[in-house]
Amino acid sequence: MANDAPSAEKEDRYSRSVQPNQERDRLSKEVRQQRIIAQLSAAPTLRASELAAALGVSGETIRRDLLELHEQGLINRTYGGASRPFAHEPSRSDRRHVMIAEREAIAAAVSAMILPKEVLMLGGGTTTYHVARFLAARNRDITVITHDFAAAMALGTNPTIRVLFCAGRLHASEGYLLGSQTIASINGYEANRAIVGATGLGARGIYDADEEAGAVYAAMVQRAAEAIVVADHAKFDQLAVAICSRWDAIDRLVTDRQPQGSLAGGLKEAGTEVIVAGPRNENAGEGAR
């Protein structure tokens, strides 16, 4: 029994020494994974070997980190490294209930730019729907070409606005038309401005989760003298399956926060003007509700 006490004391000391090391390892892994995610905000892809060297760990450790982050949906694993996850846009019925104040501020800023007699092309989506509402409430004597049913109905409440609706195939859950006929309709017009939304904004340009919808927005951008993208800050640094347009084809981004990092760099390099919409006057735009 006399020999048991030193053994127990030694085991207790060992247990106390191991626990801090395990805690340090746990925190170390958290820091590594946070840095991996942060680096993917600045670069769309990363190589595992480069990450291992930058973080001072083995390739096996980095591969485990990448696997965990991939399983959590925070990154996409690629051959030899990782990339940003692609954005998957929720349904329109879900999107319409979020970022309402931000989208209304964006819509108010866009409405203030539009002059009488202008011809606009208006893409589908929730932010552009708010633009349609504010155009109907505040603007007169304009023509709007759209493929979005909700936007057309909102614009139709103003008898001074001429609405031209594109042909095409119905996307039932989104409430707009798309396809080759829609693009052909758009190509039959010219416009002063195209106003389009996006699933995501990256350093290279604007992205959409639906490649056919993205093709419609790209056609609008090409047919207008000025291209305006409307998107709130939740779309920053988000990639999706289709790139609709690069920033050098976009004249203005109207948003609710100043972009940072690689997105800001891409916008500056392309010469795209950034307009940050401030909080809207609570008494403004009531007729559009």
Side-chain angles (χ1 to χ4, degrees):
M1 295 294 293
N3 292 332
D4 289 344
S7 175
E9 183 179 349
K10 181 177 179 180
E11 183 177 343
D12 185 54
R13 286 199 304 272
Y14 173 78
S15 176
R16 289 197 301 270
S17 69
V18 167
Q19 287 177 358
N21 288 335
Q22 290 174 336
E23 181 70 10
R24 282 196 298 272
D25 288 343
R26 186 182 71 82
L27 293 175
S28 166
K29 181 174 74 172
E30 290 177 356
V31 170
R32 282 198 314 271
Q33 294 185 358
Q34 288 170 2
R35 289 183 180 176
I36 290 169
I37 293 170
Q39 288 190 42
L40 278 173
S41 296
T45 61
L46 294 171
R47 295 189 61 81
S49 57
E50 295 170 351
L51 286 169
L55 298 175
V57 295
S58 68
E60 183 180 354
T61 297
I62 283 296
R63 285 191 291 273
R64 286 199 301 267
D65 286 339
L66 296 181
L67 178 60
E68 288 185 17
L69 291 170
H70 175 77
E71 290 174 345
Q72 295 171 42
L74 298 174
I75 67 166
N76 286 336
R77 288 189 71 194
T78 63
Y79 181 77
S83 66
R84 296 175 190 162
F86 282 176
H88 297 281
E89 206 162 35
S91 68
R92 183 163 179 163
S93 59
D94 291 334
R95 300 197 312 273
R96 65 184 297 181
H97 300 297
V98 299
M99 296 286 184
I100 294 174
E102 292 85 351
R103 288 168 176 167
E104 288 189 338
I106 291 168
V110 171
S111 171
M113 301 175 191
I114 308 305
L115 302 174
K117 309 302 182 183
E118 285 195 349
V119 177
L120 312 178
M121 289 185 175
L122 185 63
T126 49
T127 305
T128 48
Y129 167 67
H130 286 291
V131 172
R133 290 176 51 235
F134 274 75
L135 290 173
R138 297 182 172 186
N139 297 83
R140 294 180 56 84
D141 301 319
I142 60 175
T143 297
V144 183
I145 303 157
T146 188
H147 64 131
D148 186 281
F149 283 98
M153 293 299 292
L155 292 162
T157 62
N158 184 331
T160 75
I161 296 178
R162 183 181 182 218
V163 181
L164 302 179
F165 202 72
C166 298
R169 175 171 53 82
L170 175 64
H171 190 310
S173 63
E174 287 295 314
Y176 52 58
L177 302 180
L178 40 65
S180 59
Q181 286 182 303
T182 307
I183 293 173
S185 294
I186 291 165
N187 287 337
Y189 296 109
E190 298 282 348
N192 298 101
R193 309 177 203 249
I195 304 166
V196 300
T199 298
L201 310 180
R204 296 180 181 181
I206 67 172
Y207 295 80
D208 200 272
D210 186 320
E211 67 277 11
E212 288 191 279
V216 171
Y217 307 148
M220 289 183 170
V221 167
Q222 291 169 6
R223 300 302 297 181
E226 179 182 83
I228 301 171
V229 172
V230 291
D232 60 71
H233 68 274
K235 307 293 180 69
F236 291 0
D237 299 310
Q238 297 292 316
L239 305 185
V241 66
I243 183 162
C244 310
S245 178
R246 300 194 181 275
W247 286 120
D248 56 11
I250 304 298
D251 298 281
R252 294 177 176 177
L253 167 64
V254 184
T255 185
D256 63 306
R257 287 188 191 173
Q258 190 69 41
Q260 303 293 329
S262 62
L263 174 56
L267 290 161
K268 183 177 180 180
E269 182 178 353
T272 302
E273 180 184 5
V274 177
I275 297 173
V276 178
R280 76 182 189 90
N281 186 325
E282 286 302 318
N283 294 322
E286 289 301 320
R289 289 188 177 278

